[in-house]
Amino acid sequence: MSKYKPTIGIEIHTQLATKSKMFCGCNNDSRGSKPNSNICPVCMALPGTLPVINKGAVEMAIKMAKGFNAKVANVTSFDRKNYFYPDSPKGYQITQMYEPIIQDGFVEILIDKEFKKIGIHHAHIEEDAGKLTHPDGADYSLVDYNRAGTPLVEIVSEPDINSPEEAKRYLQEIYNIVTALGVCNGDMEHGNFKFDLNVSVSDSEELGTRTELKNLNSFRNAERALKYEIQRQIDLLESGEKVKQETRGWNDAKSKTFSQRSKEEANDYRYFPEPDIPPLNLSNDFISEIQKEIDVLPSTIRKELLEIGLSVDDQDLLISQPKTAKIFQDAREILKKEKLIKKAVNWLVGDFQALGLDDRKDLTGKNLAELVKLIDDEEISSKIGKEIFAEVCGGEAPSKIIDDRGLVQVSDDTELEKIITEIIKNNPKPVEDYRSGSEKVLGFFVGQVMKETKGQANPSKVNELVVKLLKG
Ligand SMILES: [Zn+2]
């Protein structure tokens, strides 16, 4: 164990899944649109225009607050962050510097089977900038303002994170929460969820000089970049050098961080209250009305899944699919017994995932619970269960499918004995082998019975009867 302790703080930019942009009526989804086709005088800040707050974005932030165990500010306000750069049509960004809408929260991450609290200092609403591209070899740059004015919530953690693994878990947890709440589409390839990582190392109580790793957009790269950067800082300190406060990028191909700009050149943004937007009053009634709409929080589901001993990967899988998590909860409500609930989860993390989204969209918790019970009661074999599962996911009740097709499991001794006797009669050689000590041929007989009954025989029953009859 190194004597240096890393300290990590994370800023996450989540793009809100609203219909329109933050302060105008432009479509909030420009994917596939021609550059500069999804803009208007408001998001271009033409003289005489006024921004109007998107109510949907505020409601989404209020939901997020609940997911982050945070307070919603009763009075929240917007500010201007002034900077001059061609990706900003306004010459400033509207953000929340002084009274952010979400304050003082936390999430819990699961590390070595224990929950660790990571504080959320605050989260604020702001608008995104446009996008610059620099064509290869050209002596000009191109700007596309379609993204300008897109609503973002920036989530600022406390520096409570102490390892790359914790950082990754924190990012995944926040991702789970915002996607489960439906406030972010989570499309990481299109920049719906980006983050900056602040990291320092120290061998004392005093924090070391930090560097900032900018614009990462994959959990895996965040972990790798942090591992690299922590080691780089330790190596510097060990060789008697100092860590420079700077912004660094991550080069994925070289698996290295590299210096982008030093903090001495940092801008003074001259923040001041946005004069065109009065402070927003949010009553407790309004807040609780919106938070009531939240079905169930990912953290609650995680605790339920942990209780039945599900692995972290499978927990993540279910939590990252809110509809699947809902099926789980409904089935759990009906099944009650842990043994059966586990079986329901096995379907959801197994066969269910193999089906296309469209093919599985009609599975209900009720039908899943029924399927689990039918198999557990030995009404049908698990083989038949697997065969009809796709239909169950298409919305059909398992009991109806097996009734319609006469798939009820054959457990009736006399009927099975008749079939087995017939098979024994027709296969003298394997019978001979078995009686002279080869246990292996048992599988052959069981297989024959299953074939004969088209998989509808109860396998344990068949086994028992085959042994009994072979021993004669
Ligand atoms: Zn606009």
Side-chain angles (χ1 to χ4, degrees):
M1 179 90 194
S2 162
K3 64 176 176 170
Y4 293 97
K5 182 179 167 190
T7 299
I8 300 162
I10 300 182
E11 290 161 16
I12 304 174
H13 286 97
T14 55
Q15 184 179 323
L16 295 180
T18 53
K19 288 201 179 69
S20 55
K21 290 187 184 178
M22 188 59 220
F23 300 109
C24 65
C26 288
N27 194 329
N28 188 29
D29 185 0
S30 293
R31 281 174 297 182
S33 308
K34 276 200 323 209
N36 299 307
S37 63
N38 186 25
I39 55 175
C40 74
V42 176
C43 53
M44 289 301 96
L46 297 190
T49 59
L50 286 172
V52 176
I53 298 173
N54 182 334
K55 190 179 175 199
V58 172
E59 291 175 352
M60 286 181 179
I62 290 173
K63 285 187 181 172
M64 265 192 200
K66 173 96 174 176
F68 301 158
N69 306 291
K71 286 200 296 261
V72 176
N74 288 115
V75 181
T76 182
S77 57
F78 290 86
D79 306 287
R80 284 191 187 178
K81 176 182 180 179
N82 296 281
Y83 72 98
F84 190 72
Y85 200 65
D87 67 356
S88 164
K90 299 179 173 174
Y92 59 86
Q93 176 194 34
I94 304 180
T95 179
Q96 298 193 292
M97 178 65 181
Y98 302 110
E99 287 298 341
I101 185 164
I102 299 170
Q103 302 181 5
D104 196 17
F106 68 88
V107 294
E108 289 179 289
I109 59 169
L110 199 53
I111 289 287
D112 298 331
K113 296 189 177 143
E114 276 182 36
F115 284 105
K116 175 176 176 179
K117 262 189 197 178
I118 307 291
I120 290 177
H121 181 269
H122 76 270
H124 60 262
I125 296 175
E126 61 185 27
E127 57 177 343
D128 208 347
K131 197 170 118 192
L132 286 175
T133 42
H134 315 285
D136 264 346
D139 59 355
Y140 57 84
S141 295
L142 296 169
V143 64
D144 175 7
Y145 287 126
N146 283 348
R147 200 178 64 189
T150 293
L152 306 174
V153 166
E154 179 175 338
I155 304 153
V156 182
S157 84
E158 297 285 1
D160 292 342
I161 300 159
N162 297 113
S163 73
E165 193 203 351
E166 286 182 17
K168 186 174 156 211
R169 291 295 318 159
Y170 169 77
L171 288 166
Q172 286 173 323
E173 197 61 25
I174 298 284
Y175 182 87
N176 289 337
I177 293 168
V178 296
T179 49
L181 291 175
V183 301
C184 175
N185 290 327
D187 182 348
M188 293 178 76
E189 267 177 52
H190 285 95
N192 282 187
F193 194 88
K194 294 181 290 197
F195 30 90
D196 305 335
L197 313 163
N198 288 296
V199 55
S200 65
V201 301
S202 172
D203 58 355
S204 69
E205 285 303 299
E206 212 167 301
L207 289 180
T209 306
R210 65 180 195 188
T211 57
E212 185 175 30
L213 307 176
K214 273 269 192 206
N215 269 327
L216 283 116
N217 65 354
S218 98
F219 302 135
R220 187 171 151 268
N221 282 350
E223 194 179 20
R224 289 170 67 209
L226 282 169
K227 272 186 188 156
Y228 177 87
E229 183 59 18
I230 288 166
Q231 194 55 50
R232 189 188 72 86
Q233 292 187 9
I234 291 174
D235 290 347
L236 281 174
L237 296 176
E238 283 289 281
S239 61
E241 289 176 66
K242 279 187 177 152
V243 174
K244 256 203 334 228
Q245 187 174 352
E246 61 184 353
T247 300
R248 298 179 70 85
W250 169 247
N251 184 322
D252 197 22
K254 291 187 182 159
S255 297
K256 278 182 168 180
T257 64
F258 60 93
S259 179
Q260 279 182 321
R261 63 166 193 265
S262 91
K263 276 284 171 184
E264 284 97 75
E265 302 157 27
N267 290 309
D268 171 11
Y269 293 117
R270 294 176 294 117
Y271 286 95
F272 63 82
E274 166 59 58
D276 290 338
I277 305 175
L280 185 62
N281 293 303
L282 301 168
S283 71
N284 288 336
D285 283 350
F286 179 70
I287 294 166
S288 59
E289 204 55 41
I290 286 161
Q291 294 187 334
K292 259 205 308 225
E293 288 169 24
I294 299 171
D295 217 7
V296 61
L297 288 173
S299 53
T300 311
I301 300 170
R302 184 179 300 286
K303 281 173 184 159
E304 289 168 3
L305 294 171
L306 191 66
E307 249 171 49
I308 59 166
L310 202 67
S311 75
V312 175
D313 283 348
D314 286 344
Q315 291 170 25
D316 284 349
L317 181 70
L318 283 194
I319 291 166
S320 68
Q321 299 175 358
K323 282 183 189 149
T324 315
K326 178 87 174 75
I327 298 170
F328 157 71
Q329 288 210 306
D330 291 347
R332 175 175 164 275
E333 199 67 10
I334 299 167
L335 292 169
K336 295 199 169 66
K337 282 191 212 150
E338 188 175 309
K339 182 186 92 175
L340 299 181
I341 296 169
K342 271 187 186 161
K343 288 192 170 146
V345 170
N346 283 341
W347 283 107
L348 290 176
V349 299
D351 294 56
F352 183 72
Q353 300 297 329
L355 293 168
L357 285 180
D358 246 9
D359 296 328
R360 70 193 203 199
K361 68 179 192 318
D362 293 319
L363 178 66
T364 62
K366 183 166 167 275
N367 283 344
L368 177 61
E370 189 180 286
L371 180 68
V372 168
K373 274 191 176 160
L374 285 169
I375 296 171
D376 189 63
D377 295 344
E378 302 191 340
E379 293 271 329
I380 57 171
S381 66
S382 51
K383 184 164 175 291
I384 294 289
K386 273 190 185 291
E387 275 174 29
I388 66 168
F389 187 64
E391 278 172 79
V392 178
C393 289
E396 204 68 73
S399 51
K400 182 165 185 305
I401 302 171
I402 62 172
D403 277 353
D404 286 357
R405 294 211 250 135
L407 292 174
V408 177
Q409 179 158 273
V410 184
S411 296
D412 179 352
D413 283 16
T414 30
E415 196 172 331
L416 283 174
E417 278 185 23
K418 224 163 69 192
I419 296 168
I420 296 168
T421 312
E422 192 66 17
I423 292 170
I424 289 179
K425 206 174 85 191
N426 294 334
N427 294 282
K429 177 76 174 67
V431 174
E432 188 72 10
D433 291 349
Y434 180 79
R435 288 181 180 152
S436 54
S438 167
E439 296 264 325
K440 272 190 297 185
V441 291
L442 215 53
F444 164 79
F445 286 105
V446 174
Q448 290 298 307
V449 180
M450 294 314 271
K451 203 169 137 195
E452 197 64 32
T453 58
K454 298 192 175 64
Q456 279 169 251
N458 174 346
S460 57
K461 194 93 216 170
V462 171
N463 235 311
E464 182 194 316
L465 290 176
V466 166
V467 172
K468 183 180 135 198
L469 293 173
L470 277 174
K471 287 194 170 143

